[in-house]
């Protein structure tokens, strides 16, 4: 079972988590289920969503996996109809589907003379607009469309909220990933927009901005086989006042706090950095 930093009471709540076939959102789904919510795990990868839901069920909590493409309204609506039949209407929406794509990533951090005419590497000048569009769509529309579909379930209810996932790159862009950085900046901005738009309707809308985490997916990028840090790790840690990576589990406290009405009833439009001080540090 997942070790929670504290629990909040989510009994009677229906939580919809997109991207829940993935690393972070399957963990968030599990945390919400352990707090008593009935959790719908949505992912374009239906098998992963179902497998993660079954693991939650096997620990005695309530969850179910659903196929859902967050970029297709009809797909979100179809998932919503199944969820309504299985659990009821949505109280909590965690918009977790997102990410970068190699087609929207430059090979180099800095422009060097002559790069403009190179075709053998991905430069700013030959980045594929379709790749950029993919990343903007996945992160931005992939948050907007599920919100269009699930927020109507929340209207007229008392204790409902939405949580988006931004990133460190939203504050200051990270090298090589202009589209992902811009798309997450848009998520932070959109979180504020939604918070204002729904303020009178009682839907609180917040986001977390995770800092640099070590996961099985990126461990090889960050550490050599002998455990020594790669140059990328040195740069990240130099920019992180707490001088370490975060553990994914360290995001859970922020998620539970923002989704809990007793804890955060007057909190809306906030993007909470969980980053060891990275976003606060100028480097000097
Ligand atoms: P992940 O790749 O493990 O999970 C993302 C999930 O989204 C996958 O299961 C994928 O199948 C799903 N997905 C992709 N396209 C989809 C679509 N069109 N419809 C429905 N589902 C779709 O990623 P993660 O690391 O767990 O990241 C989750 C969120 O956290 C993302 O928004 C990511 O940008 C953000 N984030 C992650 C980190 C990190 O260090 N991992 C840091 C900052 C922000």
């Amino acid at each position: 079972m997942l070790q929670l930093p504290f629990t909040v009471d989510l009994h009677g709540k229906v939580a919809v988590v997109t991207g829940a076939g993935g690393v972070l959102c399957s963990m968030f789904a599990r945390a919400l289920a352990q707090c008593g919510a009935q959790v719908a795990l949505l992912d374009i990868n239906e098998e992963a969503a179902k497998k993660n839901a079954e693991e939650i069920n096997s620990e005695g909590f309530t969850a179910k996996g659903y196929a859902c493409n967050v970029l297709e309204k009809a797909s979100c609506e179809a998932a919503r109809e199944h969820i309504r039949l299985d659990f009821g209407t949505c109280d909590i929406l965690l918009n977790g589907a997102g990410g970068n794509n190699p087609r929207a990533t430059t090979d180099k951090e800095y422009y060097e003379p002559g790069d403009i005419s190179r075709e053998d590497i991905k430069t700013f000048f030959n980045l594929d607009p379709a790749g950029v569009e993919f990343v903007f769509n996945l992160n931005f529309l992939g948050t907007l469309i599920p919100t269009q579909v699930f927020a109507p379930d929340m209207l007229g209810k008392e204790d409902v909220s939405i949580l988006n996932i931004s990133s460190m790159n939203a504050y200051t862009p990270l090298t090589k990933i202009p589209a992902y950085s811009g798309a997450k900046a848009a998520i932070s901005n959109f979180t504020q927009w939604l918070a204002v738009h729904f303020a009178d309707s009682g839907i609180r809308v917040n986001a977390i901005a995770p800092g640099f985490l070590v996961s099985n997916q990126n461990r090889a990028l960050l550490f050599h086989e002998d455990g020594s840090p790669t140059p990328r790790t040195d740069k990240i840690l130099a920019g992180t006042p707490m001088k370490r990576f975060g553990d994914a589990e360290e995001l859970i406290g922020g998620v539970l706090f923002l989704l809990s009405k007793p804890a955060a009833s007057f909190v809306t439009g906030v993007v909470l950095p969980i980053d060891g001080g990275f976003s606060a540090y100028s480097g000097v």
Side-chain angles (χ1 to χ4, degrees), residues 175-200:
T175 55
K176 296 185 175 181
I177 52 171
Y180 187 45
S181 298
K184 287 300 192 186
I187 288 298
S188 293
N189 188 280
F190 185 50
T191 299
Q192 294 175 312
W193 188 91
L194 284 172
V196 173
H197 193 66
F198 287 126
D200 284 343

Side-chain angles (χ1 to χ4, degrees), residues 12-73:
K13 300 284 175 212
V14 175
V16 174
V17 181
T18 72
V23 178
L24 295 183
C25 293
S26 58
M27 180 186 71
F28 298 149
R30 178 172 298 210
L32 301 184
Q34 287 183 206
C35 289
Q38 296 175 289
V39 184
L41 289 86
L42 274 53
D43 205 287
I44 199 166
N45 181 347
E46 182 178 7
E47 201 185 323
K50 293 206 152 131
K51 181 175 155 288
N52 292 336
E54 276 159 24
E55 281 176 20
I56 294 172
N57 291 330
S58 72
E59 291 175 350
F61 305 103
T62 309
K64 190 164 175 184
Y66 303 85
C68 174
N69 181 351
V70 291
L71 296 177
E72 287 177 10
K73 200 166 187 183

Side-chain angles (χ1 to χ4, degrees), residues 154-158 160 192-205 261 265-266 268:
M154 301 181 186
L155 296 170
K157 288 194 197 170
E158 279 289 307
V160 285
Q192 294 175 312
W193 188 91
L194 284 172
V196 173
H197 193 66
F198 287 126
D200 284 343
S201 314
I203 307 177
R204 296 182 304 106
V205 187
K261 190 174 182 198
S265 52
F266 201 45
T268 195

Side-chain angles (χ1 to χ4, degrees), residues 28 93-96 139 143 147 161-168 170-171 183-195 203-211 251-259 264 267-275:
F28 298 149
L93 173 63
L94 200 164
N95 282 311
N139 291 279
T143 294
T147 303
S161 74
I162 297 172
L163 189 74
N164 298 329
I165 315 235
S166 184
S167 169
M168 276 309 102
Y171 299 86
K184 287 300 192 186
I187 288 298
S188 293
N189 188 280
F190 185 50
T191 299
Q192 294 175 312
W193 188 91
L194 284 172
I203 307 177
R204 296 182 304 106
V205 187
N206 294 292
I208 58 165
L251 301 175
I252 294 171
V255 168
L256 296 182
F257 160 65
L258 291 169
L259 289 176
V267 181
T268 195
V270 158
V271 181
L272 179 69
I274 305 177
D275 66 345

Side-chain angles (χ1 to χ4, degrees), residues 206-271:
N206 294 292
I208 58 165
F212 291 89
L213 312 171
V214 192
S215 66
N216 288 333
Q217 284 177 322
N218 66 6
R219 188 166 277 114
L221 275 176
L222 301 174
F223 295 99
H224 298 299
E225 270 183 18
D226 64 3
S228 60
T230 62
R232 184 173 170 81
T233 286
D234 289 336
K235 282 171 81 167
I236 292 169
L237 296 186
T240 306
M242 289 178 82
K243 293 192 176 48
R244 66 173 178 85
F245 287 100
D247 291 325
E249 288 76 12
E250 291 180 293
L251 301 175
I252 294 171
V255 168
L256 296 182
F257 160 65
L258 291 169
L259 289 176
S260 158
K261 190 174 182 198
S265 52
F266 201 45
V267 181
T268 195
V270 158
V271 181

